[in-house]
Amino acid sequence: MGYFPVSLEKLIDKFASLPGIGRKSAQRLAFYLLSLPEDEALDFADAIAQAKKSVHECSVCHNLTDMEICGICSDPRRDEGVICVVSDPKDVIAIERGREYNGHYHVLHGVISPMNHVSPDDLKIRELVARVSAGDIREVIMATNPDTEGETTARYISRLLKPFDIKVTRLAYGIPVGANLEFADDATLMRALEGRQEM
Amino acid sequence: MGYFPVSLEKLIDKFASLPGIGRKSAQRLAFYLLSLPEDEALDFADAIAQAKKSVHECSVCHNLTDMEICGICSDPRRDEGVICVVSDPKDVIAIERGREYNGHYHVLHGVISPMNHVSPDDLKIRELVARVSAGDIREVIMATNPDTEGETTARYISRLLKPFDIKVTRLAYGIPVGANLEFADDATLMRALEGRQEM
């Protein structure tokens, strides 16, 4: 367009390249950054560079960390006999927020998805099998998303883990806490019926 | 929270500090940046630093530029006898997009707003008066937003420019092109009636 200075156009382009940020929002964000005091704006730039440089995957569970082994894997108070398998680092946060789970994690970094050309080799599945075959694991909890791809991935992995003498479980399906039966979808309701428990 | 590595938390905080970006979006953006190849992520950081360092106000019209005098002010094909006064650099783009206006601009960087503690001295009004008193200006077009504050600012400036022998005009109010009369608000309709023109 050429209406803005080149470096400002470039910054707007950068923001517009982020997921969910349109051209108008990108403009707004770029102008906001320019309106900040110089040190604050440079601090933002620095935060990106620092995060990119220091954050990598934990060599054990593949969660994101800035140490060699992440805080959860190196915490002696946690039960290393249980591994919860999730597809994304954000899912670790979701489960940790509940403050109830006390085992370890394994982050796959995706799910098997032929449509998106993601095969089992693209995920950290081999590393999970290696962990199970090496250590004293009692249970692996599959906590991938309850959709087709998450389900497929969970089934694939549970089959791989069959030869080992461990328990492989799956998060329970059912009615969300606080939800209204009337508005629950049929699939969820059926799963909730199937998984009914004695009171 | 401490669930993420410190540098990642900091990056999320930075994104969350941007206007219109909530905590969830900030997380999504930070994760996206981390998923980029290193050079692209650093390029983003660099774009911020570069824009912040090189972009400043044009010494004549106070629009944003990376030169001493902006491209519009230094363009010899443009009419320097006409100045269009806008409150924001984005308004320059909006008018330029029409490809019809061929004069110069003056960017106030805000509007008079006692509620937000913005007084005339906080805007580039003194600089506008200096331009008018120094040069061969024939006309000043007030193009602040058609709201109370924009209106107040336009009236304030037009009074300041009274002593000079120039024409001071205001963008026409009226029904937007392509709009439906039925849905026009009363104030706009009244202004459109007042401003009716012979056919």
Side-chain angles (χ1 to χ4, degrees):
Chain A
M1 316 258 281
Y3 296 131
F4 291 121
V6 180
S7 55
L8 178 51
E9 280 288 350
K10 192 176 166 202
L11 183 57
I12 295 173
D13 286 346
K14 286 288 173 193
F15 272 115
S17 76
L18 297 178
I21 304 282
R23 190 86 202 158
K24 279 268 173 198
S25 302
Q27 243 181 49
R28 191 168 41 80
L29 295 175
F31 272 97
Y32 174 79
L33 267 185
L34 285 184
S35 75
L36 290 179
E38 177 142 359
D39 56 334
E40 275 181 49
L42 294 184
D43 214 36
F44 199 117
D46 196 49
I48 294 176
Q50 279 307 319
K52 187 63 198 174
K53 271 182 199 148
S54 67
V55 176
H56 53 258
E57 292 175 14
C58 167
S59 60
V60 178
C61 72
H62 297 276
N63 192 7
L64 296 178
T65 178
D66 47 9
M67 295 171 287
E68 167 62 21
I69 292 177
C70 77
I72 293 176
C73 285
S74 58
D75 186 343
R77 285 164 306 179
R78 298 190 74 126
D79 181 358
E80 26 176 20
V82 184
I83 296 180
C84 177
V85 178
V86 295
S87 62
D88 196 284
K90 278 172 249 172
D91 300 334
V92 172
I93 314 299
I95 295 176
E96 283 296 289
R97 237 187 276 123
R99 292 170 191 281
E100 201 138 295
Y101 179 66
N102 194 38
H104 283 209
Y105 290 94
H106 191 88
V107 181
L108 298 173
H109 289 276
V111 282
I112 299 171
S113 168
M115 290 263 284
N116 299 312
H117 308 288
V118 181
S119 78
D121 288 343
D122 299 320
L123 308 175
K124 305 295 177 190
I125 294 180
R126 210 177 304 121
E127 290 80 353
L128 174 63
V129 176
R131 277 178 83 180
V132 170
S133 65
D136 298 321
I137 310 294
R138 299 190 313 276
E139 179 175 359
V140 171
I141 304 169
M142 299 306 308
T144 49
N145 280 328
D147 51 23
T148 318
E149 294 175 342
E151 191 76 339
T152 308
T153 309
R155 279 178 197 284
Y156 178 88
I157 291 175
S158 76
R159 214 170 308 142
L160 276 186
L161 297 180
K162 266 275 159 62
F164 303 98
D165 184 27
I166 56 167
K167 207 158 99 181
V168 180
T169 55
R170 176 93 188 83
L171 286 191
Y173 285 112
I175 314 292
V177 176
N180 197 319
L181 265 197
E182 193 184 344
F183 302 118
D185 62 296
D186 298 357
T188 304
L189 256 180
M190 271 188 16
R191 297 292 201 121
L193 255 175
E194 274 170 29
R196 65 191 180 278
Q197 297 186 325
E198 248 178 89
M199 294 179 65
Chain B
M1 316 257 279
Y3 296 133
F4 291 120
V6 180
S7 54
L8 178 52
E9 280 288 349
K10 191 177 168 201
L11 183 58
I12 295 173
D13 286 346
K14 285 288 171 192
F15 271 114
S17 75
L18 297 178
I21 305 280
R23 191 85 203 157
K24 278 269 174 198
S25 303
Q27 241 182 50
R28 191 168 40 82
L29 295 176
F31 271 98
Y32 175 78
L33 268 185
L34 284 185
S35 74
L36 290 178
E38 177 143 2
D39 57 333
E40 276 182 49
L42 295 183
D43 214 37
F44 198 116
D46 195 50
I48 295 175
Q50 278 307 318
K52 187 63 198 174
K53 271 181 198 150
S54 68
V55 176
H56 52 259
E57 292 176 14
C58 166
S59 60
V60 178
C61 73
H62 297 277
N63 191 6
L64 296 178
T65 178
D66 47 8
M67 295 170 291
E68 168 62 19
I69 292 176
C70 77
I72 293 176
C73 285
S74 58
D75 186 344
R77 288 163 305 178
R78 299 190 73 125
D79 182 357
E80 28 176 19
V82 184
I83 295 179
C84 178
V85 178
V86 295
S87 64
D88 195 282
K90 277 171 252 174
D91 300 334
V92 173
I93 313 297
I95 296 176
E96 283 296 289
R97 238 187 276 123
R99 294 171 188 281
E100 202 139 293
Y101 179 67
N102 194 37
H104 282 210
Y105 289 94
H106 192 88
V107 182
L108 298 173
H109 289 277
V111 282
I112 300 171
S113 168
M115 289 264 285
N116 300 311
H117 309 288
V118 181
S119 79
D121 287 344
D122 299 321
L123 308 176
K124 304 295 176 189
I125 293 180
R126 210 177 302 121
E127 290 81 352
L128 174 63
V129 176
R131 277 178 83 180
V132 170
S133 65
D136 300 322
I137 310 294
R138 301 189 312 277
E139 179 175 359
V140 171
I141 305 169
M142 299 305 309
T144 48
N145 280 328
D147 51 22
T148 319
E149 294 176 341
E151 190 77 339
T152 309
T153 309
R155 279 177 197 284
Y156 178 89
I157 292 176
S158 76
R159 213 172 306 142
L160 275 186
L161 297 179
K162 264 275 157 61
F164 304 98
D165 184 25
I166 56 166
K167 207 157 95 183
V168 180
T169 56
R170 177 92 187 81
L171 285 192
Y173 284 112
I175 313 291
V177 176
N180 197 320
L181 267 197
E182 193 185 344
F183 302 118
D185 62 296
D186 298 355
T188 303
L189 256 180
M190 271 188 18
R191 297 294 201 121
L193 254 176
E194 273 169 34
R196 65 190 180 277
Q197 297 186 327
E198 249 178 86
M199 294 179 65

